[in-house]
Amino acid sequence: NAGVTQTPKFRVLKTGQSMTLLCAQDMNHEYMYWYRQDPGMGLRLIHYSVGEGTTAKGEVPDGYNVSRLKKQNFLLGLESAAPSQTSVYFCASSPQKETQYFGPGTRLLVL
Amino acid sequence: DQQVKQNSPSLSVQEGRISILNCDYTNSMFDYFLWYKKYPAEGPTFLISISSIKDKNEDGRFTVFLNKSAKHLSLHIVPSQPGDSAVYFCAALQTSGTYKYIFGTGTRLKVLA
């Protein structure tokens, strides 16, 4: 099993550009999450999903959209990137509400 | 409003000794607490958890203690090993009402050989 994978690993964007981060899990987990990690801030929940076709806002959802069309995939979109979205993005999945399994992260730089 | 706090950004411990990492929270609605470990350039990995109805959970060298009245939890690692050197995050989960999964800011543990 690959566990949780994230694509791409690193990306540089210009302000105003759009992009989609892909998260895939092969553990048949119901729950999936997107976090961002910034220095001194820990991990902050952006959006999450409790099952295929469902999404919900987390702690810092502004500027991001998500979709969960297939159970194994959770996409995070940035419609118009801003420098404040420079961060490391982590995806996670979980079979129930508690323990989460994280991907390796995507490093995003917005110039 | 930081609902989960790790007030020590870093901690150094001699190999073989005990490491104690602390975490405080403010929200009494949290019903589950977890510790994650993170190495550089990797995602966090789950370490140990505790339900709010318990005060202690042990798994090998790792023990988590929960003091609900003080809204405080701690992770004890005994004995500490150089491979334990990593950043440790505590996290708190609220499942009733508004769903919340809040991480602390992390403590960097360095175990000296």
Side-chain angles (χ1 to χ4, degrees), chain B residues 4-6 21-25 35 71-74 90-91 104:
Chain B
V4 179
K5 297 179 184 180
Q6 292 178 258
L21 294 91
N22 294 304
C23 181
D24 297 296
Y25 62 96
W35 285 93
K71 293 190 174 67
H72 176 84
L73 67 152
S74 61
C90 67

Side-chain angles (χ1 to χ4, degrees), chain A residues 40-42, chain B residues 1-6 24-26 102-105:
Chain A
M41 300 288 287
Chain B
D1 175 26
Q2 208 165 348
Q3 298 184 44
V4 179
K5 297 179 184 180
Q6 292 178 258
D24 297 296
Y25 62 96
T26 58
I102 308 291
F103 281 81
T105 52

Side-chain angles (χ1 to χ4, degrees), chain A residues 2 9 16 41 45 47-48 69 71-73 75 82 87 97 105:
Chain A
K9 288 184 169 52
M41 300 288 287
L45 183 63
H47 286 280
Y48 66 99
L69 299 179
K71 187 177 184 179
Q72 64 268 33
N73 295 337
L75 279 63
S87 188
K97 290 180 181 177

Side-chain angles (χ1 to χ4, degrees), chain B residues 30-52:
Chain B
F30 289 136
D31 45 16
Y32 218 78
F33 302 91
L34 308 96
W35 285 93
Y36 288 83
K37 176 179 177 179
K38 185 182 181 304
Y39 292 116
E42 294 182 10
T45 55
F46 169 74
L47 198 55
I48 192 169
S49 63
I50 187 167
S51 166
S52 61

Side-chain angles (χ1 to χ4, degrees), chain A residues 24-103:
Chain A
Q25 53 98 1
D26 60 3
M27 298 174 282
N28 202 34
H29 288 170
E30 288 295 331
Y31 297 81
M32 296 188 75
Y33 313 80
W34 274 108
Y35 291 90
R36 60 178 288 173
Q37 185 190 14
D38 302 292
M41 300 288 287
L43 287 89
R44 292 182 292 168
L45 183 63
I46 304 171
H47 286 280
Y48 66 99
S49 168
V50 300
E52 181 179 324
T54 74
T55 63
K57 293 180 180 180
E59 196 181 345
V60 288
D62 294 342
Y64 305 95
N65 56 76
V66 287
S67 64
R68 183 105 181 263
L69 299 179
K70 293 182 179 180
K71 187 177 184 179
Q72 64 268 33
N73 295 337
F74 196 28
L75 279 63
L76 178 71
L78 286 73
E79 290 187 350
S80 179
S84 61
Q85 294 178 305
T86 292
S87 188
V88 181
Y89 291 85
F90 289 101
C91 174
S93 70
S94 64
Q96 70 285 329
K97 290 180 181 177
E98 292 85 25
T99 309
Q100 297 186 6
Y101 297 82
F102 284 82

Side-chain angles (χ1 to χ4, degrees), chain B:
Chain B
D1 175 26
Q2 208 165 348
Q3 298 184 44
V4 179
K5 297 179 184 180
Q6 292 178 258
N7 292 318
S8 298
S10 63
L11 174 68
S12 291
V13 172
Q14 208 65 36
E15 181 180 6
R17 304 295 292 268
I18 183 171
S19 294
I20 300 176
L21 294 91
N22 294 304
C23 181
D24 297 296
Y25 62 96
T26 58
N27 183 354
S28 57
M29 296 287 288
F30 289 136
D31 45 16
Y32 218 78
F33 302 91
L34 308 96
W35 285 93
Y36 288 83
K37 176 179 177 179
K38 185 182 181 304
Y39 292 116
E42 294 182 10
T45 55
F46 169 74
L47 198 55
I48 192 169
S49 63
I50 187 167
S51 166
S52 61
I53 62 173
K54 296 187 176 181
D55 55 18
K56 178 182 175 181
N57 188 26
E58 192 170 353
D59 184 2
R61 296 186 297 114
F62 303 91
T63 303
V64 56
F65 296 92
L66 176 62
N67 183 334
K68 284 186 69 176
S69 61
K71 293 190 174 67
H72 176 84
L73 67 152
S74 61
L75 173 68
H76 292 212
I77 306 173
V78 183
S80 301
Q81 299 173 354
D84 296 330
S85 297
V87 177
Y88 289 79
F89 292 97
C90 67
L93 171 63
Q94 175 183 324
T95 58
S96 57
T98 303
Y99 174 86
K100 292 183 181 180
Y101 206 113
I102 308 291
F103 281 81
T105 52
T107 296
R108 184 178 302 276
L109 173 66
K110 189 171 184 179
V111 180
L112 307 168

